[in-house]
Amino acid sequence: MSITFPRMFAIGGVPVTNIKEGLKSLSRTSDPGSFVGFRSVFPTLIHGSHAFEVASLLGLLDDERSELTPTGRAVAHSRSVVKTELAKARAILDRLLERFEAINADPDRLISINRVYLYGSVMRGDPLVGDIDLEIEASRGPAYANDLQAYLRGCLAFVRQFAPNYVPPVYMAESGKAMDHLIFGPRRAPILKGAMINVRNLSTIPAPCQLIYTIEHRIDLNAPILKTHPDYDPAIETSHEVPHLASFEVPEFGIPEPVDARFIAKFHPTGRIAVHDFASPTSNVLARLLRAHELQSSTLKVHVSGDTLDPAFAKRSGLTDDLSPKGTIVLTAETHRNELRSFMKIERKVAMVDGMLTVDLKVGDLATLQRRRTDEARADCLAVVAATIHMADRFHALALNRAGNNYPIEATVTTASSVPDAIGPLIQEFGSRLGGSLDS
């Protein structure tokens, strides 16, 4: 039973197809940077960061956010389908069951349909359904019950009626091909993609189901709904590569948190920011801003703990206090040969203030470590990076807010008394340029 979503379906403003691609990339690499920096899916790291946070809120990532949870694996392999009205799905199911009746009525039949279990959205009676989820138990017909070779010859002869040149690629492949054609006809309806023959998934998952057909008692659409398949045993461990889930519920997101600031460095262990990673060359507004305001090339880093800070920075009183990926962080800029080291400490939070969702950034400290005049070029480049992270917080909060309560929203920048007055307006100016490119 695979999860299905309506086509063009989005969660928190992110198309499910984009979340799926990000999850697949993460599953291959165990690197969150491969998710947020998936250039062909997300136009900027800000878009990737928002999708990554949505995936985390949905419970698709583990605690370290480097591996997928079972639900994450299921969503990564989900399908986007055109949803069908329940009445139409029920009509297709009725015709399929009538086909089973006709198969079993033939005394010389090649196969028998023994039991059919219904589960998933059609069983629940959802108004719109993606697939008809069925577990079909079939076997050789009575004439072939004790003669496997005669059965395989019969299957091959049947298959060659519609595929004259068919040669089984592996042993008994003709049996599967014959069963599929007999059960679903020459062309399986797309809505029946969730119908499986002799797969026995239901015995491995705790999913409600309904025995709607048996060869002895025929069709019974009013059969009781069972809590699990009769053969389900929770003590038996299974190793499904893709977990089978009955449904997927999108939760209420509530008041968002700031994003994980490490997105700007694609989660590189050192926090080093590679500016060219932000977006494609033609739309990399971060690179353009830095080129315009960085007089000397700097190594830019984001720090969410004191572990990655140079010891020279860590000596600064209070600099490493209360650092966290979604809260207070430190940005650093170091010129070639460490001739000049500058840092900016910023505090980030999202909160409801007087009925308004406020995305706030506060510059708590800004300084250079050398005894020389303040280097404005360093302050400018740090302000550009701060503005980028602030815009990521704003973008994430705005998207979740639109998908939820749609409160009025405001992005604010404040500074501590020890920080030059010009820094706040500078970050806001850079933020407006970044925001314009994101909204366009």
Side-chain angles (χ1 to χ4, degrees):
M1 175 182 359
S2 63
I3 299 173
T4 60
F5 294 98
R7 289 187 179 171
M8 308 301 290
F9 187 68
I11 302 175
V14 186
V16 168
T17 51
N18 291 4
I19 295 175
K20 285 168 50 181
E21 292 305 314
L23 291 173
K24 290 178 182 178
S25 180
L26 179 64
S27 70
R28 291 191 293 267
T29 64
S30 299
D31 176 14
S34 70
F35 187 123
V36 301
F38 201 153
R39 183 77 57 82
S40 62
V41 176
F42 305 115
T44 72
L45 289 180
I46 289 178
H47 294 84
S49 173
H50 169 58
F52 186 71
E53 297 298 336
V54 169
S56 183
L57 289 168
L58 293 172
L60 310 183
L61 311 177
D62 67 1
D63 291 342
E64 298 298 321
R65 308 214 294 179
S66 60
E67 301 290 344
L68 306 189
T69 62
T71 303
R73 295 200 305 276
V75 171
H77 292 83
S78 65
R79 296 183 297 114
S80 296
V81 299
V82 176
K83 293 286 186 176
T84 302
E85 293 177 1
L86 179 62
K88 293 181 180 179
R90 283 283 185 182
I92 294 172
L93 177 60
D94 290 344
R95 290 196 294 271
L96 184 66
L97 294 175
E98 290 169 4
R99 186 180 183 90
F100 295 165
E101 290 273 62
I103 290 173
N104 285 339
D106 182 357
D108 299 321
R109 60 189 177 273
L110 191 58
I111 66 169
S112 294
I113 309 299
N114 300 316
R115 282 177 293 276
V116 178
Y117 286 92
L118 174 68
Y119 57 108
S121 56
V122 175
M123 183 202 71
R124 294 192 303 269
D126 293 355
L128 295 174
V129 301
D131 285 334
I132 300 175
D133 293 307
L134 296 171
E135 186 163 285
I136 302 166
E137 298 178 16
S139 63
R140 287 178 254 164
Y144 303 96
N146 299 312
D147 193 341
L148 175 61
Q149 296 307 315
Y151 168 70
L152 293 178
R153 288 193 297 272
C155 288
L156 185 59
F158 175 74
V159 171
R160 284 180 172 169
Q161 292 178 24
F162 58 87
N165 299 320
Y166 176 76
V167 177
V170 295
Y171 182 60
M172 291 189 68
E174 61 269 44
S175 172
K177 196 168 185 67
M179 276 193 180
D180 195 80
H181 195 281
L182 285 165
I183 288 173
F184 299 113
R187 187 175 181 180
R188 183 194 296 219
I191 197 173
L192 290 173
K193 193 165 184 177
M196 302 295 174
I197 306 170
N198 293 336
V199 174
R200 299 190 181 276
N201 281 335
L202 278 174
S203 63
T204 67
I205 58 175
C209 59
Q210 185 180 23
L211 182 60
I212 61 170
Y213 182 84
T214 64
I215 194 169
E216 300 86 4
H217 302 106
R218 305 175 65 181
I219 300 171
D220 183 7
L221 292 174
N222 295 315
I225 294 178
L226 309 175
K227 289 184 177 180
T228 62
H229 188 277
D231 295 337
Y232 172 68
D233 184 354
I236 298 176
E237 294 185 3
T238 60
S239 57
H240 286 299
E241 179 183 349
V242 182
H244 298 273
L245 301 181
S247 62
F248 180 79
E249 299 296 329
V250 178
E252 293 285 339
F253 290 122
I255 304 301
E257 292 182 298
V259 302
D260 190 320
R262 292 174 293 180
F263 85 91
I264 194 69
K266 284 181 62 176
F267 289 85
H268 192 278
T270 67
R272 181 166 182 166
I273 300 168
V275 176
H276 62 270
D277 285 336
F278 180 74
S280 65
T282 56
S283 58
N284 196 332
V285 64
L286 175 60
R288 290 199 295 270
L289 283 171
L290 285 173
R291 280 198 298 269
H293 296 278
E294 195 177 21
L295 301 183
Q296 289 179 275
S297 178
S298 298
T299 298
L300 298 168
K301 293 183 180 181
V302 58
H303 306 272
V304 299
S305 73
D307 298 339
T308 56
L309 273 170
D310 185 287
F313 287 111
K315 292 177 183 178
R316 178 83 173 192
S317 177
L319 186 61
T320 61
D321 293 349
D322 304 320
L323 298 188
S324 67
K326 295 189 174 188
T328 301
I329 61 173
V330 172
L331 307 176
T332 59
E334 302 178 39
T335 58
H336 182 57
R337 295 180 181 176
N338 293 336
E339 293 174 356
L340 188 66
R341 297 189 183 101
S342 302
F343 70 84
M344 178 183 288
K345 185 173 184 178
I346 58 177
E347 304 163 19
R348 306 149 57 222
K349 61 182 179 180
V350 180
M352 289 295 298
V353 179
D354 297 330
M356 180 171 288
L357 189 62
T358 302
V359 183
D360 184 58
L361 179 145
K362 179 180 179 180
V363 182
D365 202 354
L366 172 66
T368 58
L369 299 186
Q370 280 70 14
R371 292 188 177 183
R372 60 178 70 184
R373 63 182 178 81
T374 301
D375 191 289
E376 294 179 358
R378 303 285 74 73
D380 283 5
C381 70
L382 291 174
V384 169
V385 177
T388 305
I389 294 172
H390 189 41
M391 282 300 101
D393 291 341
R394 171 187 173 273
F395 185 88
H396 176 59
L398 188 61
L400 292 189
N401 188 45
R402 285 173 176 164
N405 296 310
N406 209 21
Y407 295 114
I409 191 166
E410 179 183 30
T412 60
V413 177
T414 57
T415 58
S417 58
S418 59
V419 175
D421 293 339
I423 293 299
L426 191 63
I427 292 175
Q428 289 177 319
E429 177 192 342
F430 293 150
S432 65
R433 296 190 200 179
L434 286 159
S437 68
L438 293 174
D439 297 336
S440 60

